[in-house]
Amino acid sequence: MSNYKFILSGGGTGGHIYPAIAIANELKSRYPNAEFLFVGASDRMEMDKVPLAGYKIEGLWISGIQRKLTLKNLMFPFKLMTSLLRSRKIIKTFKPDVVIGTGGFASGPLLQMATAKGVPCLIQEQNSYPGITNKLLGKKVDTICVAYDGLEKFFPKEKLKLTGNPIRKDLLAVKGKHIEGKDAFSLIHSKHTLLVLGGSLGARRINELIEVNLDFFEEHNVQLIWQCGKLYYDRYKQHKELKNVQVHAFLNNMDMAYAAADVIISRAGAISVSELCIVGKPTIFIPSPNVAEDHQTKNALAVAEKNAAILIKESNLDNDFQKQFSELITNEEKQTELSKNIEALALVNATNDIVDEVEKLLKK
C-alpha cells in the first residue's frame, strides 16, 4: 500500500518548517501516491513557505504564551480550545496514517488530538533543550527523533531515536569546493574568508559586533561574507563599498557560502548547528539570549563542550571577541582541530533515518 496519508505540523520559524518539508519530501520520494497535509499557525510564515514547497496547509488560530501579562495571554485559552476542536475535525476528515510534529505552536493541539484518537505520532525535536510543547507531547507520542544525546532527562528513554536534524542535501557536497566557493563570491584566494550568519531576519548584536571590528578584520587579512538579515540590510549596506566586505540581506547560495568560508560566526539555532556540523568549518557561536528556555546557548554548549566550536555569549563579546578570534584565525592547528571535532558530530542521514521511523509506525 502506498496511498498513505500524512499530516505534518511545524512552524513559526524556518527551524520548524524546513525540517517538516524535508521529511515530507523524503516520504513523497518513497510513496509517490501518498497524500500530505500540513497544519500550521494561521498568521505565521509556514502559511507562505509550505505552499511554495508544493504542499497544502491549513491554519490554526494559535499562538504561544507571552512571558509577561498581555492581551494575547488572556486570549490563549480561547485560541487553544478553538485549535483543539479544529484539529479534531482535520484528523477526522483527513484520516492520517501517521502525524509528524516538528515543533511550533500548531503542533501542540494537533498532536494532542491525534494521540487522543489513537493515530501513530512522531515528534522531531531539533534542540538540545526541548520546549514545553514537545515535553508534554513526549509522554503521548510513539516516537521521538532527537539531534542530541542526553534527552532522556526530558523524554521517555524507550521512545528516543538519535537521528539528527534534517538538512539541505546540497550541503553534503560542500567538501572539496573551497576554491569554487571563493570564486562564486569573487573572493581573493590568499585572504582568510569569514562568513557571518545571523539568520534570515538578522541578529542585531552580531551586526553591531561586525561593524565595529571591520578595521580589526582588515588588520588580520580577513575578507567578509556578511549576511546581516533583511531587517538590517538598509542599515549596513553602506559597508559594501569597502574592498573586502560583502553585505547581503540573505544568501541564496548557502552551499557556496559555506564552501568559501575559512571561519564562520553564527547564531546557534538547532538547524544552523546541524548544518555547521555537516559543513565542518571552524565556528564561533554567538547564541541569541532572547529565545525560549535559552535553547541556543544550550545547543552551542553541546558542541563547545566537545571542543568542536567556540562559544561566546553576547554579554562577553566586548571583552572576549577580539582575543578569541585572533587566536583562531592565526592558528591553523586550532582551526583543523575544531573542524575535525565538529564534523565528527554530524548526523548526515537524518532525514532518511527519521522517515525510517515513520515507516515503522505505518506497520503498527
Side-chain angles (χ1 to χ4, degrees), residues 327-343:
E327 289 175 355
L328 178 61
I329 205 70
T330 58
N331 188 337
E332 287 189 17
E333 189 176 321
K334 177 70 171 175
Q335 292 174 36
T336 301
E337 183 180 29
L338 289 179
S339 293
K340 178 183 171 185
N341 291 345
I342 197 170
E343 195 172 1

Side-chain angles (χ1 to χ4, degrees), residues 9-28:
S9 182
T13 68
H16 294 313
I17 297 166
Y18 296 117
I21 291 172
I23 292 167
N25 288 343
E26 177 60 24
L27 281 166
K28 192 173 184 179

Side-chain angles (χ1 to χ4, degrees), residues 105-360:
F105 305 139
S107 65
L110 182 80
L111 272 82
Q112 172 71 28
M113 295 311 299
T115 54
K117 292 289 183 183
V119 179
C121 292
L122 176 149
I123 55 175
Q124 194 262 320
E125 173 56 59
Q126 294 106 31
N127 292 292
S128 62
Y129 192 92
I132 295 171
T133 299
N134 275 358
K135 281 187 202 171
L136 294 172
L137 290 171
K139 299 170 185 175
K140 301 177 180 182
V141 300
D142 300 272
T143 305
I144 305 162
C145 294
V146 297
Y148 295 90
D149 291 316
L151 268 76
E152 60 272 6
K153 292 179 290 188
F154 310 106
F155 298 121
K157 187 175 181 179
E158 68 277 7
K159 297 182 180 182
L160 291 176
K161 304 293 179 183
L162 182 64
T163 58
N165 286 322
I167 55 98
R168 289 168 287 191
K169 288 186 176 180
D170 58 356
L171 298 187
L172 298 173
V174 163
K175 217 167 184 54
K177 292 186 176 179
H178 192 51
I179 293 173
E180 186 181 338
K182 286 200 169 187
D183 286 343
F185 284 89
S186 301
L187 294 165
I188 299 169
H189 287 247
S190 59
K191 283 183 171 289
H192 302 296
T193 301
L194 171 63
L195 172 62
V196 181
L197 303 171
S200 57
L201 297 180
R204 179 184 60 81
R205 187 66 184 91
I206 289 179
N207 287 333
E208 291 172 350
L209 174 79
I210 299 306
E211 184 176 49
V212 299
N213 281 288
L214 290 175
D215 289 340
F216 169 77
F217 293 132
E218 181 65 26
E219 290 167 12
H220 283 75
N221 195 35
V222 172
Q223 58 195 344
L224 274 75
I225 304 173
W226 177 7
Q227 187 255 308
C228 65
K230 65 180 182 181
L231 291 181
Y232 298 94
Y233 183 68
D234 287 341
R235 166 73 180 81
Y236 293 104
K237 64 183 180 183
Q238 60 181 323
H239 297 301
K240 289 198 299 183
E241 304 304 318
L242 298 174
K243 184 178 179 182
N244 295 309
V245 179
Q246 297 185 21
V247 184
H248 303 267
F250 55 89
L251 293 164
N252 288 320
N253 51 344
M254 274 303 304
D255 57 332
M256 286 295 100
Y258 280 133
D262 295 297
V263 173
I264 298 170
I265 292 174
S266 176
R267 284 302 202 198
I271 301 304
S272 294
V273 173
S274 294
E275 288 187 354
L276 288 163
C277 289
I278 297 288
V279 169
K281 297 291 178 79
T283 299
I284 298 173
F285 285 119
I286 304 173
S288 170
N290 306 312
V291 293
E293 313 284 355
D294 196 23
H295 68 252
Q296 284 205 8
T297 299
K298 295 178 176 74
N299 291 344
L301 266 174
V303 181
E305 287 175 345
K306 295 175 180 174
N307 192 30
I310 294 168
L311 165 60
I312 309 177
K313 292 186 176 182
E314 280 194 358
S315 56
N316 297 332
L317 283 173
D318 291 339
N319 293 327
D320 294 351
F321 176 74
Q322 288 195 359
K323 180 175 182 291
Q324 296 257 38
F325 187 86
S326 294
E327 289 175 355
L328 178 61
I329 205 70
T330 58
N331 188 337
E332 287 189 17
E333 189 176 321
K334 177 70 171 175
Q335 292 174 36
T336 301
E337 183 180 29
L338 289 179
S339 293
K340 178 183 171 185
N341 291 345
I342 197 170
E343 195 172 1
L345 301 176
L347 294 165
V348 299
N349 297 314
T351 309
N352 285 332
D353 291 345
I354 292 165
V355 172
D356 286 347
E357 295 299 326
V358 174
E359 288 188 323
K360 292 176 186 178

